[in-house]
Amino acid sequence: MKKITQILFLFSLLSFTTYAAVNDFCVADLKGPDTPSGYQCKPPNTVTADDFVFSGLVAGNTTNTFNAALTSAFVTDFPGLNGLGVSAARLDIAKGGSIPMHTHPGATELLILAEGQITAGFMTPFHLYSKTLKPGDVMVFPQGQLHFQVNSGNDKATAYLAFSSANPGAQLLDLLLFGTSLPSDVIAQTTFLDVEQVNKLKARFGGIGIADS
Amino acid sequence: MKKITQILFLFSLLSFTTYAAVNDFCVADLKGPDTPSGYQCKPPNTVTADDFVFSGLVAGNTTNTFNAALTSAFVTDFPGLNGLGVSAARLDIAKGGSIPMHTHPGATELLILAEGQITAGFMTPFHLYSKTLKPGDVMVFPQGQLHFQVNSGNDKATAYLAFSSANPGAQLLDLLLFGTSLPSDVIAQTTFLDVEQVNKLKARFGGIGIADS
Amino acid sequence: MKKITQILFLFSLLSFTTYAAVNDFCVADLKGPDTPSGYQCKPPNTVTADDFVFSGLVAGNTTNTFNAALTSAFVTDFPGLNGLGVSAARLDIAKGGSIPMHTHPGATELLILAEGQITAGFMTPFHLYSKTLKPGDVMVFPQGQLHFQVNSGNDKATAYLAFSSANPGAQLLDLLLFGTSLPSDVIAQTTFLDVEQVNKLKARFGGIGIADS
Amino acid sequence: MKKITQILFLFSLLSFTTYAAVNDFCVADLKGPDTPSGYQCKPPNTVTADDFVFSGLVAGNTTNTFNAALTSAFVTDFPGLNGLGVSAARLDIAKGGSIPMHTHPGATELLILAEGQITAGFMTPFHLYSKTLKPGDVMVFPQGQLHFQVNSGNDKATAYLAFSSANPGAQLLDLLLFGTSLPSDVIAQTTFLDVEQVNKLKARFGGIGIADS
Amino acid sequence: MKKITQILFLFSLLSFTTYAAVNDFCVADLKGPDTPSGYQCKPPNTVTADDFVFSGLVAGNTTNTFNAALTSAFVTDFPGLNGLGVSAARLDIAKGGSIPMHTHPGATELLILAEGQITAGFMTPFHLYSKTLKPGDVMVFPQGQLHFQVNSGNDKATAYLAFSSANPGAQLLDLLLFGTSLPSDVIAQTTFLDVEQVNKLKARFGGIGIADS
Amino acid sequence: MKKITQILFLFSLLSFTTYAAVNDFCVADLKGPDTPSGYQCKPPNTVTADDFVFSGLVAGNTTNTFNAALTSAFVTDFPGLNGLGVSAARLDIAKGGSIPMHTHPGATELLILAEGQITAGFMTPFHLYSKTLKPGDVMVFPQGQLHFQVNSGNDKATAYLAFSSANPGAQLLDLLLFGTSLPSDVIAQTTFLDVEQVNKLKARFGGIGIADS
C-alpha cells in the first residue's frame, strides 16, 4: 500500500518521465502514410518488446537465376527500426553465384562475411576498389556507389549486411536499364551498348516495364 | 509466357526491390498535414513522371512597384521536391527594378545570372559582401542572411535561383517591419527609425496587418 | 482604398510570401500522430502568438523524496517548439536534495545556475567530470551521458536547463533498473549489485513494473 | 595489487571503452580552424571538467545606447559546447531599454523570463506574433526570424536565452543596414526608406563600414 | 571622433556581433584537408565578396564524343559553397547529343531547361519516370538515382542544374563499368552483358583502369 | 594510342568526374584531429581498397570476468567508415556469461543473433522491453537506452552488431558508477544504493578513478 502511494507520488513529481516513451523511439505505423523522416509512430502505449524484434533473418533459397538470396530486415519488414537510421539483411550466395551490380541510393552498406569467400567491390570513375574477403572481414560500400558481390570460393557464402538507413532501397542495375519501358535506342544512346545487346537483356528483364508518363 | 514466369520469379527472389519506390522519393501529398521534415508522401503506386516535373518557370510580369517578378518552384508548387532539400525560382528584373532586402530563414540561395546585369549583396554586422554580376556569374547568399538584388544594367535581367531547401520561405524586410500591427513607436524604438518614417511606410505596406496575440 | 489595392497587388506579385508561415515554423498538433522528426503541424492560419509562449516555468514543489522538482517546457508541454531542436526546464533543489543519476538519450543538457550552489557531474568509463557551481556558472552534459546534480550549499538552489532537442526525454537510472519487471537475478548479473540490494530498491521503485513482451 | 591486475585485465577485454572519450564529446580547439560542423576537437586526454563549465553568465552593464546588455556563452566563449547544438546567453534590460530588431541566421532562440516584464515578438510577412511576458514565461523565436525584446515594465528585466546551435550568431538589423559601406541610394532603393533617414542612421551606425569587394 | 568612440562602445557592449562572421558562413580553404562535413574554413577576416561569386558558368565546348558539355560550380570550383548544401552546373547539349546514364551518389539534381528540348528520366526497378521538357520546365532527379538527358529537339539545348550538396559528385555509368581494371568476366557475370560487349566498351573507356587493391 | 588520346579527351571534357573521389567517401586520417562530423579525410589519391576492408571481426577471448568478448569495427579500428554513419562489432558470450548494462550515447544498436540463445532487453522508466532470441532474430536497442545481453542458453552464443554511427562509444554502467573518483556518499545519494554496496563495487571497478577537475 505504501509502495503504491509512493509510486503515484513519484509520478506526480516526476511526471516528465512519462514522456520518455514518446521520443525515445518511434515504432512505425506501416498502415499510415510515410514522411521524409519515416513513418508515423504507433501510440507508445501499444508498443511491446515484439516491436523491437524481427524473426527470420535466415538463409534464403538460392536456387534461382543468381544462385543467391537476400533476406531483408528493413523498416517495412521491421517497424521498430523507424527513424533509427540503421537496418540489416542476410546474404546467401551458392557456389558460382553473385549479387549483380546494384546501388542503395540512400545508404552505406557494411558487409560482414560469416562463411565462405566473396569477392566484392565498388567503382568510382576509373577506379576499382575490390577485395577477396574471408570470414571475419568487413567491407564498406559508401552511399550510392555501384557495387557487386561474387562468390569466388568453392562453397556457399553467408554474409550479414548493415545499412545506414532504416529503408536503404536496393536497385539492381539490370532492372533499371532493362526492366522498364525506356526505348532500346535511348538506352543504347545513353549507355553506348549495342542495340542488339539491349534488346537481348530487355527480353530477359523488361517484360513488365511500366511507362510512367 | 516464359518471360512472365521469370519476372514473377525475380519478384519473389528480389522482393526487396519493390520497396525501392517507398524510400527513394516522397512526393508530397499537399492535402495532408505538413511535418518538420516535410509533407506526407503520396502512395508510391500513384506517382507518375508528372510528379517530378514542374512547368512554368518562365518570365513573370514586372510591371509592378518593384519592376521585378519572382516565379517560384518550391514544394508547395512542385510536390516532387518534398524531402529532397532543393528548390528553384526565376527572377526577372526590369531596368531600374530591384528585389528589396529580404531573407530566407531556412535556406541558402544561389543566384545564376543568365542575362543582363545585377548588383547583389548580403551584409553581416559592419561588413558588406557585394558584387556587380554579369551573365555566367553565380553568387551565393548564405542561409538566413539579409540580401538584395538590383538591376544595375541598361536592360532587363534574368536569373535562376536555387535554394538548399524544398521550402525556403522568403521574407521581405518591409513586410516584416511595416506590414503588421506592430505599433509605430515599438518599431521606432527597436529600429531607431523616426516615427514619421515608420508611419509613412506602414501606410504603404501595413494595411492588412493582423495582430496575432 | 488605394492601399488595399496595392496590397492585393503585392500579393499577386509576391505570392510566395504567403508560404512563409508554412515552413518558418511547425507548431505541433499534439492530437495527431508523432513522426521521427516531430509532430504534424497545426494549420498555419490557426497559429497565434500564444502558440509560441509557455507559461509556468516556475518553482516546483520540492517536498518529496528527492527534495527536488523539475518543471519542463518540452514539446509536449509547449507545442511551438516542434521541429525547432530546443527546449527548457527549471530545476529547484531544496537544501540536501538532489536530482539522481539520469540520462537524456537524445539531447545535450545545458545547466545555468541562477541561485544557490550545485555540485554536478557526468561520467565516462573511468573518468569523472564534476564541478561545484556558483550562480552565473553554466555546465554542459553531452548527449546521452549519465549525470547528476546535488545541492551542495546551505540554501535552496535554482537552475534553468536548456536541451538540444524539443523532446529530450529524461530517464532516472533507478526507474530503469528497479522500476520494471526485470528479474532481480538478471539485474544482479548485469550490474554486479547484490541481489539483496536489488530487491531492496525494487521494493522502493518497482511496484508497477510492466513486463512488455 | 589484485585490483590493478583486474583493471588492466578489464582494459584488455573491454578496450573499446577507451574510445568513449573520443566520440562522446568534442571540446573545441579554438586555435585550430573551424569546419562546417564546428571546431577541431582537443585531444581527449587533455580535457578536464573545466572544459564543460563556463563562468560569468552574470548581469552585463546596461548603461549604454540600448539600456541593455547581452552576455553570451557561445562556443567561442565556451569550447565544451562544440558540436553539441546548444548554447546560452543572459539578457539584462534596464527600464525603458530594448534589444533592437535582430536575427540569428542559424538558430532558434528560447527566452526564459526570470525577472521583470518584457514585450517580445517576431514577424512573418503581414503577421506579428507578440506577447507581454511575465516571470516564468518562455517564448520561442523560430530560426532566422526577425525579432525584438522591449522592457515594458517599471523595473529592470532579466532573461536567460537558449539557442539551438553552439554558435548562433546575432545580427542587429541596424548594423546590417547602416553599419556597412552600402551606398545610401542602394539602401533607400531596397528598403523604401527615405535617403535622409538612411543618412541619419548611417551617421549613427556606419562609421566603420568596410567594403569587401 | 564621437562616432568612433560610439562604435567602439558598441563593440564592447555587443561584442557578440563580432562572432557573426565565424558561423554565418565557412568559405573553404581548399589547400587544407576535407572532413565529412566539408573543408576547413578560411579565416573570416580574409574573406571577401569574391569568395561568394563564381564566374564562368557559360557554355562549354560540345564538340566531343557526347556532343555535350557540363560546366560545374561545385565547392572545389567555388569555395564559398562550403557547408551550405547547394551547388550548380550548366549543361549544353548539341543536336543529337546526350548526357549518358549517370548518378550523383550524394545529391538530388534539379534541371531547369532554359533553351531547346531535352528528354530526361530516371529509373527505379521496373519503373521509368521520363518526360520531354520544354523551356521553363523543371525536373527533379532524386538522390542517387540513375538518370539521363537526351537532346530530343532540332537545336542545341541549354539547362541549369542545381544540386542539394556543395559537392554532388557525378558518376558516368560507362566509366564505372568499363573504365576500371575489373575483369571482363566479372563484369559480364554481374551485369549479364555478353563478354564481347564488355570488351568492346572496355576498349573504349577502360584503358587507364587502375586496380586499387 | 588512340585510346589514350580519347581518354585524355574524356578527362578534359568530363573533368568533373575527378572530383568524385573527393566527396563520395572520406577515409579517416586517424593521426589528424577529430571534428564533430568525424576525422579529416586522407588525400583521395592515397586511398586503396584496403581502406574499405577491416579484417579480424572474429571470436574474442571469453575467459574473463564477464565470460564475454566484444570485438569492434568502429572508425578508430576501420578508417574507411569515417563519415558514413555505420559500424559493426561481434559479440561472443560463453555459457553463463553476459554483457552487463551499458549504453551507446550516440548510436542505435542492432543485434543479429547468429548462434546460441541470448536474452536481451532495454528499459525506459517503468517499462521493460525484453526478449529471448534465437538464431535469425534481430533486436534493436534505440539510441542512448540502457540495455543488456545475457547468454540464456546451454552453449556459447555469437551475435553481430551494427550501429547507426561510425563511432558509437560503449559505456558500461559499472565503470561509470564505480570506476571513477566520485565519492561513495555522492554515489549513494544519487543512486539510492547503500554505501556498503557502493564501496564493494568501487573496490572492484574503481581503482584507477581519475578526478578530472
Side-chain angles (χ1 to χ4, degrees):
Chain A
M1 189 66 170
K2 191 176 154 209
K3 192 176 65 183
I4 298 297
T5 307
Q6 182 188 25
I7 294 296
L8 292 177
F9 190 54
L10 269 167
F11 258 116
S12 65
L13 296 169
L14 292 163
S15 63
F16 64 94
T17 61
T18 62
Y19 303 139
V22 176
N23 71 314
D24 293 331
F25 47 74
C26 172
V27 175
D29 172 5
L30 292 176
K31 292 185 195 119
D34 205 358
T35 76
S37 68
Y39 290 89
Q40 294 178 351
C41 315
K42 282 179 62 171
N45 61 349
T46 68
V47 171
T48 69
D50 290 338
D51 288 305
F52 299 106
V53 178
F54 169 82
S55 292
L57 203 69
V58 294
N61 181 352
T62 62
T63 54
N64 56 55
T65 297
F66 305 146
N67 292 316
L70 187 142
T71 308
S72 64
F74 297 169
V75 68
T76 41
D77 309 300
F78 183 6
L81 299 182
N82 196 41
L84 295 177
V86 69
S87 60
R90 174 176 169 146
L91 200 55
D92 291 275
I93 315 182
K95 184 179 173 184
S98 67
I99 299 290
M101 291 285 177
H102 66 288
T103 65
H104 307 285
T108 288
E109 174 182 332
L110 209 55
L111 180 153
I112 303 167
L113 188 58
E115 181 186 5
Q117 177 180 301
I118 283 178
T119 298
F122 69 93
M123 290 86 66
T124 60
F126 300 121
H127 286 265
L128 170 67
Y129 301 93
S130 174
K131 290 276 281 187
T132 294
L133 308 173
K134 61 180 189 307
D137 284 355
V138 185
M139 185 163 185
V140 62
F141 306 91
Q143 177 173 333
Q145 306 291 331
L146 191 68
H147 60 288
F148 65 92
Q149 288 110 4
V150 171
N151 184 336
S152 57
N154 293 315
D155 289 292
K156 69 189 171 99
T158 298
Y160 293 99
L161 308 182
F163 298 93
S164 66
S165 163
N167 204 4
Q171 303 199 335
L172 285 188
L173 180 59
D174 285 289
L175 299 185
L176 301 178
L177 289 178
F178 309 118
T180 82
S181 61
L182 188 62
S184 295
D185 60 336
V186 177
I187 300 174
Q189 180 181 5
T190 58
T191 60
F192 301 94
L193 295 172
D194 295 328
V195 171
E196 296 71 26
Q197 177 74 87
V198 171
N199 284 336
K200 184 176 170 184
L201 288 171
K202 286 201 79 174
R204 183 165 181 179
F205 293 105
I208 62 164
I210 298 161
D212 286 301
S213 63
Chain B
M1 189 64 169
K2 190 176 153 209
K3 191 176 66 183
I4 298 298
T5 307
Q6 181 189 24
I7 294 297
L8 292 178
F9 188 57
L10 269 167
F11 257 116
S12 65
L13 295 170
L14 292 163
S15 62
F16 64 95
T17 60
T18 60
Y19 303 137
V22 176
N23 73 315
D24 293 331
F25 46 74
C26 171
V27 175
D29 173 5
L30 293 176
K31 291 182 196 124
D34 205 357
T35 76
S37 67
Y39 290 90
Q40 293 178 351
C41 316
K42 282 179 60 171
N45 62 348
T46 67
V47 170
T48 70
D50 289 338
D51 288 304
F52 300 105
V53 178
F54 169 82
S55 290
L57 202 69
V58 294
N61 182 352
T62 60
T63 54
N64 55 56
T65 298
F66 305 145
N67 292 316
L70 186 141
T71 308
S72 64
F74 296 169
V75 67
T76 40
D77 309 300
F78 183 6
L81 299 182
N82 195 42
L84 296 176
V86 68
S87 60
R90 175 175 168 147
L91 200 55
D92 290 275
I93 315 181
K95 185 178 174 182
S98 68
I99 299 290
M101 292 287 177
H102 66 288
T103 65
H104 307 286
T108 288
E109 173 181 332
L110 209 56
L111 180 152
I112 303 167
L113 188 58
E115 181 185 4
Q117 178 181 300
I118 284 177
T119 298
F122 69 94
M123 290 84 69
T124 60
F126 300 122
H127 286 265
L128 169 68
Y129 300 95
S130 173
K131 289 276 282 188
T132 295
L133 308 174
K134 62 181 189 304
D137 285 354
V138 185
M139 184 163 186
V140 62
F141 307 90
Q143 177 173 334
Q145 306 291 332
L146 191 68
H147 61 287
F148 65 92
Q149 288 111 5
V150 172
N151 184 336
S152 58
N154 294 314
D155 290 291
K156 69 188 171 99
T158 298
Y160 294 99
L161 308 182
F163 298 93
S164 66
S165 162
N167 204 5
Q171 303 200 336
L172 285 188
L173 180 60
D174 285 289
L175 299 186
L176 301 178
L177 290 178
F178 309 118
T180 83
S181 60
L182 189 62
S184 295
D185 60 336
V186 178
I187 300 174
Q189 180 181 7
T190 58
T191 60
F192 302 93
L193 295 172
D194 296 328
V195 171
E196 296 71 26
Q197 176 74 87
V198 171
N199 284 335
K200 182 175 171 186
L201 288 172
K202 285 202 81 175
R204 182 164 182 180
F205 292 106
I208 63 165
I210 299 162
D212 286 301
S213 64
Chain C
M1 189 65 170
K2 190 177 155 208
K3 190 176 67 182
I4 299 297
T5 307
Q6 181 189 25
I7 295 295
L8 293 177
F9 189 56
L10 269 167
F11 258 115
S12 65
L13 296 170
L14 293 163
S15 62
F16 64 94
T17 62
T18 61
Y19 303 139
V22 175
N23 72 314
D24 292 331
F25 47 71
C26 171
V27 175
D29 173 3
L30 293 176
K31 292 186 196 119
D34 204 358
T35 75
S37 67
Y39 290 90
Q40 294 178 350
C41 316
K42 282 180 61 171
N45 62 348
T46 69
V47 171
T48 70
D50 290 337
D51 289 304
F52 300 106
V53 178
F54 170 82
S55 290
L57 202 70
V58 294
N61 182 352
T62 60
T63 54
N64 56 55
T65 297
F66 306 146
N67 292 314
L70 186 143
T71 307
S72 64
F74 297 169
V75 68
T76 41
D77 308 300
F78 184 5
L81 298 182
N82 195 42
L84 296 177
V86 68
S87 61
R90 174 176 169 146
L91 200 55
D92 290 275
I93 315 183
K95 184 179 173 183
S98 68
I99 299 291
M101 292 285 177
H102 65 289
T103 65
H104 306 286
T108 288
E109 174 181 333
L110 210 55
L111 180 154
I112 303 167
L113 187 59
E115 181 186 5
Q117 178 181 301
I118 284 179
T119 298
F122 69 94
M123 291 84 68
T124 60
F126 302 119
H127 285 265
L128 170 69
Y129 300 94
S130 174
K131 290 275 282 187
T132 294
L133 308 174
K134 60 180 190 304
D137 284 355
V138 185
M139 184 163 185
V140 62
F141 306 91
Q143 176 172 334
Q145 306 291 332
L146 191 68
H147 60 288
F148 65 93
Q149 286 111 7
V150 171
N151 184 336
S152 56
N154 293 315
D155 290 291
K156 70 186 171 101
T158 298
Y160 293 99
L161 308 182
F163 298 94
S164 66
S165 163
N167 204 5
Q171 303 200 335
L172 285 188
L173 180 59
D174 284 289
L175 299 185
L176 301 179
L177 290 179
F178 309 117
T180 83
S181 61
L182 189 61
S184 295
D185 60 335
V186 177
I187 299 174
Q189 179 181 6
T190 58
T191 60
F192 301 94
L193 296 172
D194 296 328
V195 171
E196 295 72 28
Q197 176 75 87
V198 171
N199 284 336
K200 184 175 171 185
L201 289 171
K202 285 202 79 175
R204 183 166 183 180
F205 292 105
I208 63 163
I210 298 161
D212 286 301
S213 62
Chain D
M1 190 64 170
K2 191 176 155 210
K3 189 177 68 185
I4 299 297
T5 307
Q6 182 190 24
I7 295 295
L8 291 177
F9 188 57
L10 269 168
F11 257 116
S12 65
L13 296 170
L14 292 164
S15 64
F16 64 94
T17 62
T18 62
Y19 302 139
V22 176
N23 72 314
D24 293 330
F25 46 72
C26 171
V27 175
D29 173 5
L30 292 176
K31 293 184 194 120
D34 204 358
T35 76
S37 66
Y39 290 90
Q40 293 178 351
C41 316
K42 282 180 61 172
N45 61 348
T46 68
V47 171
T48 70
D50 290 339
D51 288 304
F52 299 106
V53 178
F54 170 82
S55 291
L57 202 70
V58 294
N61 182 352
T62 60
T63 55
N64 55 56
T65 298
F66 305 145
N67 292 316
L70 186 142
T71 307
S72 63
F74 296 170
V75 67
T76 42
D77 308 300
F78 182 6
L81 298 183
N82 196 42
L84 296 177
V86 68
S87 59
R90 175 177 167 144
L91 200 56
D92 290 276
I93 314 182
K95 184 179 174 183
S98 68
I99 299 291
M101 292 284 177
H102 66 288
T103 65
H104 307 284
T108 288
E109 174 181 332
L110 210 55
L111 181 152
I112 302 167
L113 188 58
E115 181 186 3
Q117 178 180 300
I118 284 178
T119 297
F122 69 93
M123 290 84 68
T124 60
F126 301 120
H127 286 265
L128 169 69
Y129 301 94
S130 174
K131 289 276 280 187
T132 294
L133 308 174
K134 62 181 188 305
D137 285 354
V138 185
M139 185 164 185
V140 62
F141 307 91
Q143 177 172 331
Q145 306 290 333
L146 191 68
H147 61 287
F148 65 93
Q149 287 111 6
V150 172
N151 185 335
S152 56
N154 293 316
D155 289 292
K156 71 187 170 96
T158 297
Y160 293 99
L161 308 181
F163 298 94
S164 66
S165 162
N167 204 5
Q171 304 199 335
L172 285 188
L173 180 60
D174 284 290
L175 299 184
L176 301 179
L177 289 178
F178 310 117
T180 83
S181 61
L182 189 62
S184 295
D185 60 336
V186 177
I187 299 173
Q189 179 179 7
T190 58
T191 60
F192 300 94
L193 295 171
D194 295 329
V195 172
E196 297 70 28
Q197 175 75 87
V198 171
N199 284 337
K200 183 175 172 186
L201 288 171
K202 286 202 78 174
R204 183 165 182 180
F205 292 105
I208 62 164
I210 297 162
D212 286 301
S213 63
Chain E
M1 190 63 169
K2 191 177 155 210
K3 188 177 67 185
I4 298 296
T5 307
Q6 181 189 25
I7 294 295
L8 291 177
F9 188 57
L10 269 168
F11 258 116
S12 66
L13 295 169
L14 293 163
S15 63
F16 65 94
T17 61
T18 62
Y19 303 139
V22 176
N23 73 315
D24 293 332
F25 47 72
C26 171
V27 175
D29 173 4
L30 293 176
K31 293 185 194 118
D34 204 358
T35 76
S37 67
Y39 290 90
Q40 294 177 351
C41 315
K42 283 180 61 171
N45 62 349
T46 69
V47 170
T48 69
D50 290 339
D51 288 304
F52 299 106
V53 178
F54 169 82
S55 291
L57 201 70
V58 294
N61 181 351
T62 60
T63 55
N64 56 56
T65 297
F66 306 144
N67 291 315
L70 186 143
T71 306
S72 65
F74 296 169
V75 68
T76 42
D77 308 300
F78 182 7
L81 299 183
N82 196 43
L84 296 177
V86 68
S87 60
R90 175 177 168 144
L91 199 56
D92 291 275
I93 314 181
K95 184 180 172 183
S98 67
I99 299 291
M101 291 285 176
H102 66 288
T103 66
H104 307 285
T108 288
E109 175 182 332
L110 210 55
L111 181 153
I112 303 166
L113 188 58
E115 180 186 5
Q117 178 181 300
I118 283 178
T119 298
F122 69 94
M123 290 86 66
T124 60
F126 301 120
H127 285 265
L128 169 69
Y129 301 93
S130 174
K131 289 276 280 188
T132 293
L133 309 173
K134 61 182 189 302
D137 285 354
V138 185
M139 184 164 185
V140 62
F141 307 90
Q143 177 172 332
Q145 306 291 332
L146 190 68
H147 60 288
F148 65 91
Q149 287 110 5
V150 172
N151 183 335
S152 56
N154 293 314
D155 289 292
K156 70 188 171 99
T158 297
Y160 293 99
L161 308 182
F163 298 94
S164 66
S165 162
N167 205 5
Q171 303 199 336
L172 285 188
L173 180 59
D174 285 290
L175 299 184
L176 301 179
L177 290 178
F178 309 117
T180 83
S181 61
L182 188 62
S184 296
D185 59 337
V186 177
I187 300 174
Q189 180 181 5
T190 57
T191 59
F192 301 93
L193 295 172
D194 296 328
V195 171
E196 296 70 30
Q197 176 74 87
V198 171
N199 284 336
K200 184 175 171 183
L201 289 172
K202 285 201 79 173
R204 184 165 181 179
F205 293 106
I208 62 165
I210 297 162
D212 284 302
S213 62
Chain F
M1 189 64 169
K2 190 177 156 210
K3 190 177 65 183
I4 298 298
T5 308
Q6 182 190 23
I7 295 295
L8 291 177
F9 188 55
L10 270 167
F11 257 117
S12 65
L13 296 170
L14 293 164
S15 64
F16 65 93
T17 62
T18 63
Y19 301 139
V22 176
N23 73 313
D24 292 331
F25 47 74
C26 171
V27 175
D29 173 4
L30 293 176
K31 294 186 194 118
D34 204 359
T35 76
S37 67
Y39 290 90
Q40 293 178 351
C41 316
K42 283 179 60 172
N45 62 347
T46 68
V47 170
T48 70
D50 290 338
D51 288 304
F52 299 106
V53 178
F54 169 81
S55 291
L57 202 70
V58 294
N61 182 351
T62 60
T63 54
N64 56 56
T65 297
F66 305 145
N67 292 315
L70 186 142
T71 307
S72 64
F74 296 170
V75 67
T76 42
D77 309 299
F78 183 7
L81 298 183
N82 195 42
L84 296 177
V86 69
S87 60
R90 175 177 168 145
L91 200 56
D92 290 275
I93 314 181
K95 185 179 172 183
S98 67
I99 299 290
M101 292 284 176
H102 65 287
T103 64
H104 306 285
T108 289
E109 174 183 331
L110 210 55
L111 180 153
I112 304 167
L113 187 59
E115 181 186 2
Q117 178 181 300
I118 283 178
T119 298
F122 69 94
M123 290 86 67
T124 60
F126 300 119
H127 285 266
L128 169 68
Y129 300 93
S130 174
K131 289 275 282 187
T132 294
L133 308 174
K134 61 180 192 303
D137 285 354
V138 185
M139 185 164 184
V140 62
F141 307 91
Q143 177 173 331
Q145 306 291 333
L146 190 69
H147 60 289
F148 65 93
Q149 287 109 7
V150 172
N151 184 336
S152 56
N154 293 314
D155 290 292
K156 70 188 171 99
T158 298
Y160 293 100
L161 308 181
F163 298 94
S164 66
S165 162
N167 203 6
Q171 303 199 335
L172 285 188
L173 180 60
D174 285 290
L175 299 184
L176 301 179
L177 289 179
F178 309 116
T180 83
S181 61
L182 188 61
S184 295
D185 59 336
V186 177
I187 299 174
Q189 180 180 7
T190 57
T191 61
F192 300 93
L193 295 172
D194 295 329
V195 171
E196 297 69 28
Q197 176 74 86
V198 171
N199 284 336
K200 184 175 170 184
L201 289 172
K202 285 201 79 174
R204 182 166 183 179
F205 292 106
I208 62 166
I210 298 161
D212 286 301
S213 63

